[in-house]
Amino acid sequence: MGEAKGGAQPTLRARKPGYAVMQECLAIQSAAPARTGWQRFWGHDPLHDDARSWFKGAVGERDVARALDALGPEYTVLHAVPVGKRSTDIDHVVVGPTGVFSINTKNHGGQRVWVGGRTLTVAGQRTPHVHRAVAEGERATALLSAAAGRPILVQPVLVVAAASLRFGDTPPAVVTLDPGQVRGWITGLPRVHSDEAVRYLGMLAEERRTWHVDAVVLNDTLRHVQRFERLEREIDEARRRRAVLRKGRVVAGLAVPAGALLGYWWATAAISLGS
């Protein structure tokens, strides 16, 4: 489902999750030197260090996309929605009976995250995540309201994958959830839009011109997804190879003392028999 240059243009439903970060990851990764046969044998990680954060971000967006895609037929779920004039996008837009949501995804797996008010820290370091999520919601509200010809609130949501997610005494300025909570939170809200309004707003949200100055997108997202998935397979294969080699080294390490012990036993037994 790439986006064609001619004929009827697909809606934003054709966009794949994590497209923008995936594209940036692949652009950086293209500069990485090819691994040698020896590096492949030893499971050398093929991912360029500068591409690592982008790769992690794309994986995070795809994980959240799977949770959102399970919302059901009442909801329109869009990914990597382009906004403005450049390559900026909203990670996910959801339209349903419980509201319209702009969802900003952050993947900080393995790290501790703290949030309170407009402050969110990762491993003690302040980030602009909350400010950007709030601004994203405001921008989405303005764009969708202009397309609808009446005020339509788009509620910002920040979804953070982390080893731990803690909250301060001051409630966050934006709803902050972990990936496992997002589906239940959205469906658990009270209904605010009729079925007719949901269909209409979903139709508007699907149209690229609602969000971006260019009504037509020429990028082939499927091609980038295929390249990214190939990179994922290479990374997984290298990880498995390293694990096998580590296991082999442990077994070899255990085999040496075991062999020495067996030799000692035979020597002792021979002496005993000789005497």
Side-chain angles (χ1 to χ4, degrees):
M1 287 177 61
E3 293 162 353
K5 293 186 180 182
Q9 294 295 324
T11 69
L12 291 177
R13 284 183 182 269
R15 297 278 283 188
K16 303 299 181 182
Y19 173 64
V21 286
M22 198 181 298
Q23 189 178 33
E24 187 65 28
C25 172
L26 291 170
I28 297 171
Q29 183 65 23
S30 65
R35 288 179 299 165
T36 65
W38 196 242
Q39 287 175 324
R40 289 178 180 276
F41 175 81
W42 289 108
H44 180 79
D45 189 352
L47 188 61
H48 193 292
D49 285 343
D50 293 341
R52 200 166 300 281
S53 62
W54 298 99
F55 179 85
K56 192 174 181 180
V59 170
E61 288 190 36
R62 296 172 80 194
D63 288 345
V64 173
R66 281 189 283 272
L68 295 174
D69 288 340
L71 281 169
E74 289 182 296
Y75 291 85
T76 294
V77 179
L78 306 171
H79 308 295
V81 175
V83 293
K85 299 179 180 180
R86 299 178 182 176
S87 58
T88 304
D89 71 2
I90 299 173
D91 295 342
H92 316 279
V93 170
V94 175
V95 179
T98 58
V100 182
F101 310 92
S102 64
I103 299 176
N104 192 299
T105 299
K106 299 298 178 186
N107 185 1
H108 294 298
Q111 296 180 296
R112 297 177 180 177
V113 173
W114 180 94
V115 59
R118 286 181 170 262
T119 301
L120 186 148
T121 65
V122 178
Q125 300 297 312
R126 295 173 69 98
T127 72
H129 295 345
V130 172
H131 295 271
R132 289 178 179 173
V134 170
E136 194 169 79
E138 293 171 347
R139 190 177 193 184
T141 293
L143 292 170
L144 188 58
S145 297
R150 62 186 179 89
I152 302 294
L153 175 66
V154 178
Q155 181 169 353
V157 180
L158 186 57
V159 179
V160 183
S164 66
L165 178 59
R166 297 188 302 107
F167 296 88
D169 295 334
T170 304
V174 62
V175 173
T176 305
L177 309 167
D178 69 49
Q181 296 174 313
V182 63
R183 179 175 174 269
W185 182 82
I186 290 175
T187 56
L189 294 172
R191 173 183 281 271
V192 294
H193 294 306
S194 66
D195 290 342
E196 182 180 1
V198 170
R199 286 192 294 271
Y200 176 63
L201 292 174
M203 179 187 68
L204 288 179
E206 288 179 14
E207 295 299 321
R208 181 180 169 93
R209 63 172 56 88
T210 296
W211 311 100
H212 202 274
V213 294
D214 295 327
V216 175
V217 61
L218 303 180
N219 292 312
D220 182 355
T221 63
L222 181 58
R223 176 171 54 87
H224 287 90
V225 170
Q226 291 171 337
R227 289 175 56 203
F228 187 84
E229 290 177 345
R230 185 165 60 248
L231 176 61
E232 277 188 303
R233 289 193 296 271
E234 291 175 357
I235 292 170
D236 288 341
E237 180 184 347
R239 185 183 298 117
R240 288 194 299 270
R241 179 167 286 275
R242 291 196 301 274
V244 169
L245 291 171
R246 280 197 300 269
K247 185 176 181 180
R249 284 196 293 268
V250 170
V251 171
L254 292 173
V256 171
L261 181 62
L262 183 61
Y264 174 78
W265 182 86
W266 277 111
T268 304
I271 293 171
S272 299
L273 289 173
S275 61

